[in-house]
Each structure stands twice: as structure tokens, then as C-alpha cells.
Amino acid sequence: MTSIPESSASGLSAAGVSAEQTAREQELVETVVASFDAAPDERLKLVMQSLTRHLHAFVRDVRLTEEEWNVAIAFLTAAGHITDDRRQEFVLLSDVFGVSMQTVAVNNEAYGEATEATVFGPFFAEDAPLIENGGDITGGAPGQPCWVEGSVTDAEGHPLSGARIEVWEADENGFYDVQYGDDRVAGRAHLFTDENGDYRFWGLTPTPYPIPDDGPVGQLLAAVGRSPLRASHLHFMVSAEGCRTLVTHIFVAGDELLDRDSVFGVKESLIKQFEPQTADAPTPDGRDLAGSAWSRTRFDIVLAPVAVG
Ligand code: BEZ
Ligand code: FE
């Protein structure tokens, strides 16, 4: 297990804490850690003991005041109150701390050229409609049309035919369909790669939007001067037999939010060119876009084998 120094990581707390006080604090840590010794599940024991050490180290590091402890409890209580079947404030909290992304990193070990994973987010829906290859995921959602195409291969470069691709995205107003509070299904679909492992569909050119910021997590971001905005992106979840399921997004090259995504989801390898096209540029499938400018992008996806990570 990682050892946690008794002295301060910030340098704040060590000064002025007597040897007697330090010994008392450390004794409490060891007593609480030992209270988990008899846990029958070894993994649970490991997790709880490590969590105890880290939580106590934090309290001692910042010399947490009782007033601050009360604020923290009030914050968590408010997060609980706003959480329901549709709103998950605790996941948002994990997201803005980068803990969701760290968990993604730990669980998606790098493997050759395998496409990198990123945060799942709260707006996936299980029952998105099936579209044909080349179909339209927008369901009438407002925004600029975008042609998305690419391939799905395994880590050895073999095309994966029949791979399942789930895609979802916000509209140009910055909302996912599920945020409108009606029954609309828009900006999401699933499709399968063709016999060559290729896929293509019409979506929307991604635009930036804020994570839900009308709750305690939003207040926290405001208090620390951080923006709730996410860099423009399009979500993918890709699965194929024998391969590790990939949850990821692609981001838009040139987006000014790339280096300050509110949930730390951006990876260099996931930034793609979305090439702007004028209204009179011929579309790849001959579709008439009724005079709209559009964009196009390519995302070639490589899946790691299932046994890895
Ligand atoms: C999203 O990309 O949909 C998202 C991710 C994390 C928090 C909120 C939204
Ligand atoms: Fe999103």
C-alpha cells in the first residue's frame, strides 16, 4: 500500500503540531485502520483501510476546521437532495475532481494503438434507435450537419465487422434530448460496422455546453473560479466480441476549451479535424442539406483485446 507521510503535503500543517499531538492523531488513524482488520472480503478491507489513511491525511494536512467540516457535510447533503433517477450530483462531483477520469485511466490500460477512453458522462441512454450505416442520428435536433466516418479494427489492425457503435451528443443549444424533460429522442443512435469494419453517419458538428451547474457542484466551480463548460465533443461507446468496450469521445480541433474541459476528459489523440464545408460542397452520400453548410470528420477506432487492463 502507498504510505502517506505524516507530515504535511502542503507544508501548512506540520509546523506548530507538537510531537504529542502528532502521536495522538496517528494513533487514531491506526485504530480506525485496525477496525477493518476482520473484514472477510480482502478487497473491501484494502479499499477501506486505504481510504481511511487518505481521508485522515487530508484532514491533518489542511488542519480541517470544524466549521469547514460542517460546510463539507452541508455540501454532501445538498448533493444528496438534488440527486434522483435523472440527476446524479455525486458523479458530477467525481467528474470535476478528475476522479472519474483517473478511474477511466486505471481501468483502460494503454495497449498498442488502442483508442483512448474518456469519461462516460450522465447522458447515455440504453434504448437509442438503430440506424443504418450512413443514417442520421440527429432526430431533428438543431445544429450544423456533420458527416462522421471511420473504421473499427482490433489492435492487430483487423477490421471488425458488426461492431456496435453507440453515439450521442448535445444539440447546438447545449442540451441532450434527455434534458428537455419531454420524450424526445434526438442526437443519439446505434449502428453496426459494415463487412469491412467501416461506419458512417450524419450527426451534428459538436458545440460546447456546460455540465449541469445549478446545484452544489456548480456552486463549487463558481467559488473556485472554474467554468462548467465542456469542450465540444461527440460521445462513442464501441463494443465487439473479444474486445474491451471503449467509452470515449472525439473533440474538435481548434476549440478554445480543449485545455480547460471542466471534467478533464480531453486527450490529444481524441482531437479531430472537423473540416468545414460550404453549403454548395457535394455531400458524400448525395444528401440534400437544404442550403446548410456542414462539416466532416473521420475517427478510426482501435479496440484493445478484452483480457487487457
Ligand atoms: C458529458 O459529456 O455528457 C458530461 C460528462 C461529465 C459531466 C457532465 C456531462
Ligand atoms: Fe457530453
Side-chain angles (χ1 to χ4, degrees):
M1 183 193 301
T2 321
S3 70
I4 300 167
E6 281 174 41
S7 60
S8 162
S10 66
L12 285 175
S13 63
V17 179
S18 68
E20 167 64 16
Q21 175 66 20
T22 299
R24 281 191 199 178
E25 292 172 7
Q26 191 58 29
E27 190 185 347
L28 177 60
V29 176
E30 298 311 331
T31 303
V32 181
V33 166
S35 76
F36 295 108
D37 275 349
D41 181 327
E42 279 302 316
R43 176 69 185 166
L44 180 62
K45 177 176 154 183
L46 175 82
V47 169
M48 297 314 291
Q49 292 187 328
S50 176
L51 180 62
T52 300
R53 290 190 192 283
H54 283 83
L55 283 174
H56 282 250
F58 160 70
V59 170
R60 297 169 75 192
D61 183 21
V62 302
R63 308 310 295 171
L64 193 73
T65 67
E66 289 176 323
E67 196 184 337
E68 288 164 343
W69 182 91
N70 278 318
V71 170
I73 297 300
F75 177 89
L76 293 173
T77 304
H81 284 154
I82 204 172
T83 295
D84 60 19
D85 289 350
R86 302 172 73 98
R87 172 76 178 258
Q88 231 307 352
E89 198 73 359
F90 293 101
V91 175
L92 271 190
L93 184 58
S94 164
D95 294 340
V96 302
F97 268 112
V99 170
S100 305
M101 274 306 289
Q102 194 65 274
T103 308
V104 167
V106 165
N107 287 276
N108 290 270
E109 252 174 60
Y111 185 90
E113 297 301 307
T115 303
E116 289 190 273
T118 188
V119 66
F120 193 48
F123 299 123
F124 173 72
E126 290 285 351
D127 46 4
L130 171 67
I131 57 161
E132 294 295 312
N133 239 317
D136 187 337
I137 75 159
T138 63
Q144 183 190 66
C146 176
W147 176 255
V148 184
E149 64 190 344
S151 61
V152 181
T153 59
D154 68 15
E156 273 78 49
H158 304 120
L160 293 170
S161 145
R164 180 178 175 122
I165 303 178
E166 301 270 355
V167 281
W168 66 105
E169 64 177 326
D171 64 24
E172 71 176 0
N173 299 321
F175 294 114
Y176 287 82
D177 53 0
V178 292
Q179 292 178 284
Y180 281 99
D182 52 24
D183 288 337
R184 78 183 69 183
V185 177
R188 68 180 71 242
H190 73 278
L191 66 158
F192 294 91
T193 51
D194 66 17
E195 63 282 7
N196 302 314
D198 294 329
Y199 71 91
R200 59 206 78 86
F201 61 87
W202 282 103
L204 299 173
T205 309
T207 47
Y209 67 87
I211 64 169
D213 65 344
D214 55 345
V217 169
Q219 286 167 10
L220 171 65
L221 291 180
V224 297
R226 271 175 54 184
S227 162
L229 287 175
R230 290 225 58 204
S232 312
H233 62 273
L234 169 60
H235 292 260
F236 282 76
M237 179 160 68
V238 187
S239 50
E241 211 180 318
C243 295
R244 186 167 75 191
T245 295
L246 172 70
V247 174
T248 196
H249 335 324
I250 50 174
F251 296 90
V252 180
D255 182 351
E256 60 181 25
L257 293 166
L258 286 173
D259 62 353
R260 51 204 141 95
D261 182 46
S262 56
V263 302
F264 309 96
V266 180
K267 308 253 179 96
E268 193 65 34
S269 67
L270 300 175
I271 301 171
K272 305 294 170 193
Q273 297 295 331
F274 281 69
E275 292 156 17
Q277 309 290 318
T278 54
D280 56 1
T283 53
D285 58 351
R287 184 177 182 185
D288 179 359
L289 294 175
S292 171
W294 54 289
S295 70
R296 64 184 302 163
T297 193
R298 182 168 183 95
F299 180 34
D300 293 325
I301 298 163
V302 180
L303 298 183
V306 79
V308 175

